[in-house]
Amino acid sequence: MSLHPTHPLLSVDQACSGSTPNECDSDDSVENDVNVECMSNEASDIFSVSSSTAVQEDGFSIPEWSVPINANVLSFDFKKLGSITQFDVILMDPPWQLASNAPSRGVTISYSTLSDDAIQSMPMHHLQTNGFLFIWVINAKYVKAFELMEKWGYTYCDDITWVKRTVNRRMAKGHGHYLQHAKETCLVAYKGNVTSPAGGIGSDVIYAERRGQSQKPSELYDLIEQLVPEGKYLEIFGRRNNLRDYWTTIGNEL
């Protein structure tokens, strides 16, 4: 990956490192979506971007070239973000809300969930004109996920199955209403003009160890970066474990 700190969002705390917003002068001759060295004061005001060299109290270290934006995705100014840069890939793992007598089937859910309407209301059209959408979906929300993709202007094209395994390389079975679940699915869609590699890349099956609750396999990022090399990558609903070099990650748990 040869992407340099001239990434439009890395500029907030990399190219402008050590400068206050007022000290960071913009160059009108440089377009916003490439080789931007500094954000305008107005744009930087809406972002809470952690320092790339920051080390949390628990010892967690933020990847050097990642762009974590700590924000509530429901009130975040995606229009402003989209005016600064458009993304080639958007990855999201919505906190789907289940409506049943026993929605978690005995599993304690340690995060807040969102209604279908709240997820659907997200202004995705501001972020991407041409590119791919990867969206993790649970069994009960397959139909809704397809409705969301269509509403947002995407066309379904593929899916990726994560088969979970234990540390002993056995299939990691979980809870389920009828069958024990040992996999999760990520739907893939596109909008506008995209380029597909001849013959495809990688595999549509990831066989990887089960992580913590709601934590997805890092192998998916490798797959995405093979599909769209040196792209502009955005993850929504991200957590600290999702932070990755050259990715912009938005979430309220960063």
Side-chain angles (χ1 to χ4, degrees), residues 67-125:
V67 183
I69 301 177
N70 186 21
N72 183 335
V73 299
L74 296 183
S75 58
F76 182 73
D77 195 341
F78 284 105
K79 183 177 181 180
K80 181 74 70 175
L81 176 61
S83 71
I84 295 168
T85 188
Q86 292 285 288
F87 292 92
D88 302 304
V89 173
I90 298 175
L91 168 64
M92 61 193 308
D93 183 14
W96 300 104
Q97 186 178 82
L98 292 175
S100 70
N101 294 329
S104 61
R105 299 179 303 282
V107 178
T108 301
I109 297 177
S110 60
Y111 55 88
S112 299
T113 59
L114 291 177
S115 68
D116 294 346
D117 288 342
I119 297 170
Q120 181 172 298
S121 68
M122 295 179 62
M124 303 294 290
H125 59 282

Side-chain angles (χ1 to χ4, degrees), residues 77-237:
D77 195 341
F78 284 105
K79 183 177 181 180
K80 181 74 70 175
L81 176 61
S83 71
I84 295 168
T85 188
Q86 292 285 288
F87 292 92
D88 302 304
V89 173
I90 298 175
L91 168 64
M92 61 193 308
D93 183 14
W96 300 104
Q97 186 178 82
L98 292 175
S100 70
N101 294 329
S104 61
R105 299 179 303 282
V107 178
T108 301
I109 297 177
S110 60
Y111 55 88
S112 299
T113 59
L114 291 177
S115 68
D116 294 346
D117 288 342
I119 297 170
Q120 181 172 298
S121 68
M122 295 179 62
M124 303 294 290
H125 59 282
H126 291 309
L127 301 171
Q128 192 175 59
T129 303
N130 304 291
F132 290 96
L133 172 68
F134 291 75
I135 179 170
W136 287 99
V137 62
I138 58 177
N139 285 6
K141 296 296 182 179
Y142 266 86
V143 173
K144 188 61 187 179
F146 278 97
E147 290 177 358
L148 289 178
M149 291 187 294
E150 183 177 1
K151 176 179 174 58
W152 291 337
Y154 290 89
T155 300
Y156 166 80
C157 62
D158 220 326
D159 60 74
I160 299 167
T161 299
W162 169 31
V163 179
K164 303 176 184 179
R165 64 172 176 81
T166 66
V167 293
N168 298 318
R169 303 191 68 82
R170 296 178 180 175
M171 188 175 294
K173 298 178 182 179
H175 294 263
H177 285 293
Y178 304 103
L179 303 174
Q180 291 183 326
H181 296 167
K183 67 174 179 65
E184 291 192 41
T185 300
C186 181
L187 302 177
V188 186
Y190 71 90
K191 68 185 298 188
N193 299 317
V194 296
T195 302
S196 300
I201 56 96
S203 170
D204 61 356
V205 176
I206 295 173
Y207 185 58
E209 187 175 327
R210 178 174 55 190
R211 273 73 166 177
Q213 188 178 79
S214 193
Q215 187 173 344
K216 301 304 189 288
S218 59
E219 288 84 351
L220 178 64
Y221 299 95
D222 298 328
L223 193 64
I224 290 173
E225 290 168 5
Q226 289 179 50
L227 179 65
V228 185
E230 300 185 8
K232 295 175 184 176
Y233 312 109
L234 171 67
E235 180 163 11
I236 304 174
F237 299 112

